[in-house]
Amino acid sequence: MIKIFGIVQGVGYRPYIYNHAKLFNIKGWVSNQGSAVTLDIEGEKEAIKGFLIKIIKNPPNLSTIEKIKLLPKEYKGYIDFQIKSSSYDEKELKFIGMDVATCHECLEEIFNIDNPRYHYPFTNCTTCGPRYSILRKLPYDRNHTTMDTFQMCPSCRGEYNDPGDRRFHAQPNCCPNCGPSLSLLTNKGREVLCTDPIEKTIDLLHTGKIVAIKGLGGYHLACDAKNQEAIKTLRKRKNRPHKPFALMVKDIEIARKLCMINEIEEKILLSNKRPIVLLEKKGSKTLSDEIAPNIKKLGVILPYTPLHYLLFQGAITILVMTSGNGSSAPIQYENHEAIEKLGRIADYFLIHNRDIHIPVEDSVVKVVNDQETLVRRARGYTPFTLTINITQEALALGAEEKSTFCAAQNQYGYMSQYLGDLKDFDTYGIYEKAIGNLVSLLGLKPKIIAHDFNTSYLSSQYAETLAGKKVAVQHHHAHMVSCMVEHNLFCPVIGVVFDGTGLGTDDKIWGGEFFVGARENFIRVGHLKYVTIHGGNKAIKEPWRIAISYLHAINYKYKKVLREIDEKSIHTVIQALEQNFNCFESSSVGRLFDCVAALLNLRQRITYDAQAAIELENILEPSVKEYYSYNIGEENGVYQIDYKSILMGVLKDIEKEVHPSSISAKFHNTIGKVTLELISRIKERYHINRVVLSGGVFENTYLLTYIVKGLEKKDCDVYYHRQIPTNDSGIAVGQLGVVAAIEGKD
């Protein structure tokens, strides 16, 4: 008997095995058992060998084999090969399938006028369609999904039961006679009478209307990307003045007209995961700068459901396709609530009656050093299963922003989809629901609850409502360990963690950290020198306050550098700093980036996370190789990077009216160079050659690449994030890695 574990259900594996058993003259049976495909087979030795090589080395495209068990069984004398009904074992390993883009065969049917599924927007088969977003419980059977309310017609039932059909046991299988349907509504919830809701939606988009469209994992807000007035209206209504909009384009040819696309990026765009891919803009004036102001890249996605393909039948070739939510709110996914929450933004709603059980945003990826790098892990990429060496069941609750969580069972970790900022009430509700859903799917009874060291985080407070042993994990240690988990590292490393905010063990705000440590512990061997910043959370939204705080720290006699800020406001901040009123100490590299962006008058107030730092990177002139002078001091055996000489260099260049693009490049080069020098000193002192880079600042591709290349020249083994996001979305994985290491030592 053979048990194959992994993503092996709902992907056409049993019919694949059945057909190859016939081909190799194998007798016996195959069945879904738990999250495994189980086979009991008999046949000639060479035939069995060829059969196993075929089904294990070349499984169906959507399958992922994690583990194989061989169990001895007595000879039965089977006379044929059968597909047996499923069974379920709560104790077995569990693997959950991901939502998948429409396959080519289904697409051909949708556009074949003679096919019964012609223009049917819910066409799917075993190799495509919804999975995780509609799944209520395991095993993945139709009655455990939101498709259980739709009874298959005789034709669909015949496909579903035929091992020779590509829809054999395709759980969401349906057709126009028995499946979900579309409706077009006004933003007041009244139905629009029309013969074809899709055709009418295309007309509305073409005339500049904003339409909320229910997709695979939630609603999108869509408008014609070539209609500047529609884009301005969407920005105003959504209260999103600057943050870039994602674009859905008709096909890869349109994408090539808008962006520079290399071979790797094209492969990702066309993959069955269909993420948003961040691509370098071309100089084309096809689109308004309103789509991604002050940014050199566009987020581009190709259609991934039949409905999306059908929306591009008319003259529209590019749609703004942004998350269906208000500013900072979670994506909407239920029809009634969507109309209530998005009615002030959208003019119309294209809805359907297939429920979404768990909302899932679009994933976001980019290519760094010829490698796919996840920025936001969501649809098509979650739940993400990874090996965690922990014997007890555990739950890691992640950070407060860019939130995810991670569960552990049977020495596997299950990372959730991106959920957002927990300070938003509705996001927190979805966070609780998503945890409950995954815990239920896995049958998890966590004995250990890991959370952030910062007890004011809502994720940490949620930990207190749960039963189990609580383990607080320092934020930046979790960042470092998340990268160690991704790269399967257990030995001591030098950890470089740059981000915006995280509570340190000295109750100050960290974010420019150099650690030496492993999964279970760390020592802080270096950091950016502390600065006293006035304004609390308000300072993060208003980088000019950070700039004044740094200028005050270096005793710079203030001159009129910040053009948009009045003298009275500046004087008030200086007074507060002198009296240490509403101030905090920070070693954050992210805040230093904010300071320089404000000094260059790029951004005094931000409207989305890390906007100032992002725009600072985007003005950078890569041909500039100069850098500012810097100093590395030492206090009580801990290295400190002094920012004074760096900022004085920036200020002198501003006085000399050096172009901001050159100043940005010199500043980036300086941060890269001082980081490399400090790593060299730590390497020499502690005799460690492995370096781990983590934290949200390393979303900055220029800085990351600069440091990686510099470390490679120094013959360091350097590790950075690819599959687990480097931002706070990776924190939960790191927390779980820390807990696993601590428990392993006990």
Side-chain angles (χ1 to χ4, degrees):
M1 182 176 283
I2 302 156
K3 300 196 94 169
I4 304 173
F5 296 91
I7 300 175
V8 292
Q9 297 180 4
V11 295
Y13 210 166
R14 285 178 300 164
Y16 182 82
I17 289 169
Y18 175 88
N19 290 325
H20 281 90
K22 296 291 185 185
L23 188 66
F24 284 90
N25 196 29
I26 301 296
K27 312 299 182 185
W29 54 266
V30 61
S31 172
N32 280 342
Q33 295 184 1
S35 284
V37 165
T38 303
L39 303 86
D40 192 4
I41 58 173
E42 297 171 354
E44 297 293 329
K45 184 177 179 180
E46 287 301 311
I48 287 177
K49 182 180 177 182
F51 168 71
L52 291 177
I53 288 172
K54 185 67 179 177
I55 68 167
I56 292 170
K57 297 290 187 183
N58 298 289
N61 287 337
L62 297 186
S63 59
T64 303
I65 297 174
E66 291 285 343
K67 187 176 180 180
I68 298 170
K69 276 187 182 178
L70 297 176
L71 304 170
K73 203 101 187 284
E74 63 181 39
Y75 180 75
K76 294 280 188 181
Y78 295 115
I79 59 172
D80 61 5
F81 193 87
Q82 297 179 349
I83 297 176
K84 284 191 172 183
S85 57
S86 301
S87 63
Y88 190 61
D89 184 349
E90 285 280 353
K91 296 179 182 178
E92 288 280 19
L93 293 172
K94 301 174 184 72
F95 298 91
I96 303 165
M98 303 169 186
D99 299 304
V100 187
T102 303
C103 69
H104 293 296
E105 289 175 293
C106 283
L107 203 55
E108 287 176 6
E109 291 178 341
I110 293 161
F111 289 106
N112 179 357
I113 197 168
D114 296 321
N115 193 282
R117 289 185 172 87
Y118 176 65
H119 279 196
Y120 184 56
F122 303 95
T123 301
N124 66 85
C125 67
T126 52
T127 58
C128 67
R131 281 166 173 73
Y132 179 54
S133 59
I134 63 170
L135 184 62
R136 290 195 178 108
K137 61 183 288 190
L138 290 171
Y140 176 60
D141 289 330
R142 190 182 180 100
N143 63 316
H144 294 157
T145 73
T146 61
M147 282 297 294
D148 64 341
T149 57
F150 300 96
Q151 187 173 350
M152 282 185 279
C153 65
S155 176
C156 288
R157 176 63 64 184
E159 295 170 331
Y160 183 87
N161 289 327
D162 181 1
D165 195 286
R166 79 175 203 281
R167 292 192 170 93
F168 175 72
H169 278 229
Q171 304 306 335
N173 189 32
C174 58
C175 73
N177 295 322
C178 63
S181 58
L182 292 172
S183 299
L184 182 65
L185 308 179
T186 68
N187 58 5
K188 304 297 183 186
R190 293 191 295 270
E191 187 167 2
V192 177
L193 298 178
C194 56
T195 54
D196 186 342
I198 296 175
E199 192 176 295
K200 181 64 177 174
T201 299
I202 294 169
D203 291 341
L204 291 168
L205 290 166
H206 192 65
T207 58
K209 300 298 183 185
I210 297 165
V211 183
I213 298 169
K214 187 178 181 181
L216 198 63
Y219 275 84
H220 287 103
L221 290 163
C223 70
D224 183 354
K226 294 181 182 178
N227 189 320
Q228 189 163 346
E229 287 306 310
I231 295 165
K232 285 181 178 178
T233 300
L234 178 56
R235 284 206 176 280
K236 184 177 180 181
R237 291 181 186 175
K238 198 178 179 185
N239 190 24
R240 185 170 168 169
H242 306 114
K243 190 175 182 180
F245 283 139
L247 298 176
M248 182 175 281
V249 300
K250 182 177 182 178
D251 51 39
I252 192 68
E253 285 72 29
I254 299 295
R256 286 197 197 99
K257 290 177 182 177
L258 300 175
C259 302
M260 305 292 292
I261 303 176
N262 64 32
E263 193 175 316
I264 300 165
E265 290 164 338
E266 181 170 328
K267 185 177 179 182
I268 297 168
L269 278 168
L270 292 168
S271 73
N272 59 18
K273 291 183 167 77
R274 290 292 164 100
I276 296 169
V277 184
L278 301 179
L279 303 168
E280 188 177 343
K281 290 180 187 176
K282 280 186 174 177
S284 165
K285 285 296 178 184
T286 305
L287 298 176
S288 164
D289 290 337
E290 285 280 338
I291 288 169
N294 304 317
I295 304 293
K296 292 180 179 178
K297 292 193 173 186
L298 289 172
V300 177
I301 189 170
L302 293 178
Y304 58 86
T305 70
L307 175 57
H308 294 146
Y309 283 102
L310 293 168
L311 287 170
F312 287 107
Q313 293 176 96
I316 293 176
T317 57
I318 313 168
L319 286 171
V320 166
M321 195 70 83
T322 187
S323 298
N325 55 9
S327 180
S328 300
I331 189 170
Q332 294 299 319
Y333 66 102
E334 294 179 325
N335 294 341
H336 177 75
E337 285 195 4
I339 293 169
E340 182 184 327
K341 298 283 177 69
L342 303 178
R344 63 177 182 78
I345 303 175
D347 299 303
Y348 293 89
F349 286 77
L350 184 61
I351 73 169
H352 60 73
N353 56 347
R354 182 180 69 202
D355 287 343
I356 296 166
H357 185 59
I358 286 293
V360 190
E361 296 248 27
D362 292 324
S363 293
V364 180
V365 310
K366 60 184 176 180
V367 172
V368 179
N369 295 334
D370 296 329
Q371 294 278 347
E372 179 186 58
T373 302
L374 271 290
V375 176
R376 184 169 78 192
R377 194 168 194 109
R379 179 192 47 76
Y381 289 83
T382 52
F384 178 47
T385 307
L386 57 156
T387 304
I388 292 282
N389 294 311
I390 184 169
T391 54
Q392 296 197 66
E393 294 188 342
L395 181 64
L397 297 173
E400 188 164 75
E401 294 184 352
K402 296 181 174 63
S403 176
T404 64
F405 60 90
C406 196
Q409 185 183 68
N410 292 324
Q411 303 212 343
Y412 279 90
Y414 300 84
M415 180 183 174
S416 78
Q417 72 273 32
Y418 166 92
L419 293 162
D421 184 352
L422 297 186
K423 291 191 291 292
D424 179 88
F425 178 79
D426 290 336
T427 303
Y428 185 79
I430 288 177
Y431 171 78
E432 286 186 308
K433 180 180 178 180
I435 289 173
N437 186 64
L438 190 60
V439 165
S440 175
L441 286 176
L442 298 173
L444 189 75
K445 296 177 181 176
K447 300 290 188 296
I448 303 169
I449 309 296
H451 60 87
D452 196 275
F453 183 71
N454 190 337
T455 56
S456 72
Y457 277 4
L458 288 171
S459 53
S460 299
Q461 292 174 21
Y462 179 67
E464 295 306 314
T465 69
L466 303 175
K469 177 184 175 182
K470 312 299 189 299
V471 179
V473 180
Q474 200 280 323
H475 187 90
H476 301 92
H477 186 211
H479 265 305
M480 181 181 87
V481 176
S482 70
C483 192
M484 294 179 73
V485 169
E486 178 174 348
H487 294 284
N488 202 31
L489 299 174
F490 291 91
C491 52
V493 300
I494 298 169
V496 181
V497 185
F498 291 169
D499 67 358
T501 301
L503 185 65
T505 56
D506 57 1
D507 288 332
K508 296 177 182 179
I509 302 301
W510 291 4
E513 311 309 309
F514 294 79
F515 294 160
V516 166
R519 296 191 181 198
E520 63 270 24
N521 52 37
F522 70 95
I523 56 172
R524 190 188 194 203
V525 297
H527 61 87
L528 183 67
K529 185 179 178 181
Y530 284 120
V531 63
T532 299
I533 295 174
H534 166 72
N537 287 332
K538 196 173 184 180
I540 297 170
K541 298 288 186 183
E542 299 183 354
W544 70 268
R545 295 177 183 273
I546 297 168
I548 295 299
S549 299
Y550 269 100
L551 295 183
H552 183 265
I554 63 174
N555 297 313
Y556 180 78
K557 189 173 181 181
Y558 181 75
K559 299 173 186 176
K560 187 63 176 172
V561 181
L562 310 179
R563 291 194 297 265
E564 298 174 21
I565 310 303
D566 62 87
E567 294 288 345
K568 184 179 178 182
S569 297
I570 290 168
H571 181 67
T572 300
V573 171
I574 291 172
Q575 278 190 315
L577 287 164
E578 288 174 348
Q579 296 169 21
N580 198 27
F581 174 73
N582 190 24
C583 295
F584 63 94
E585 289 186 78
S586 172
S587 63
S588 166
V589 169
R591 298 290 80 86
L592 184 59
F593 270 80
D594 288 343
C595 167
V596 174
L599 292 175
L600 292 176
N601 291 288
L602 294 177
R603 188 61 56 188
Q604 306 297 1
R605 296 174 177 84
I606 66 169
T607 61
Y608 65 89
D609 183 49
Q611 182 181 4
I614 289 168
E615 292 185 1
L616 182 63
E617 181 190 5
N618 274 269
I619 67 162
L620 181 152
E621 174 47 61
S623 64
V624 174
K625 305 303 178 187
E626 299 167 86
Y627 56 91
Y628 297 113
S629 64
Y630 57 83
N631 293 305
I632 299 174
E634 192 173 340
E635 189 174 310
N636 298 323
V638 178
Y639 295 113
Q640 291 188 20
I641 298 170
D642 193 341
Y643 42 76
K644 182 173 182 177
S645 58
I646 300 172
L647 290 179
M648 289 304 297
V650 169
L651 290 162
K652 284 177 184 175
D653 274 356
I654 291 171
E655 288 175 13
K656 291 189 290 185
E657 297 185 351
V658 174
H659 198 278
S661 62
S662 295
I663 296 174
S664 175
K666 289 171 72 175
F667 173 70
H668 277 80
N669 294 343
T670 307
I671 298 301
K673 194 164 181 63
V674 71
T675 301
L676 290 170
E677 182 171 330
L678 188 42
I679 290 170
S680 293
R681 293 192 192 186
I682 295 167
K683 176 185 173 183
E684 186 176 340
R685 177 179 286 185
Y686 292 93
H687 309 291
I688 297 173
N689 197 52
R690 293 179 179 85
V691 182
V692 163
L693 308 176
S694 189
V697 168
F698 287 115
E699 295 281 11
N700 186 314
T701 302
Y702 181 90
L703 181 65
L704 175 64
T705 304
Y706 187 105
I707 293 171
V708 168
K709 287 181 178 177
L711 289 171
E712 288 172 346
K713 287 178 183 176
K714 294 174 181 289
D715 293 323
C716 290
D717 297 326
V718 57
Y719 302 90
Y720 54 97
H721 291 274
R722 295 190 180 107
Q723 291 305 301
I724 295 171
T726 193
N727 56 48
D728 277 9
S729 288
I731 288 286
V733 171
Q735 290 171 346
L736 209 54
V738 172
V739 165
I742 292 171
E743 291 300 308
K745 295 289 183 182
D746 288 351

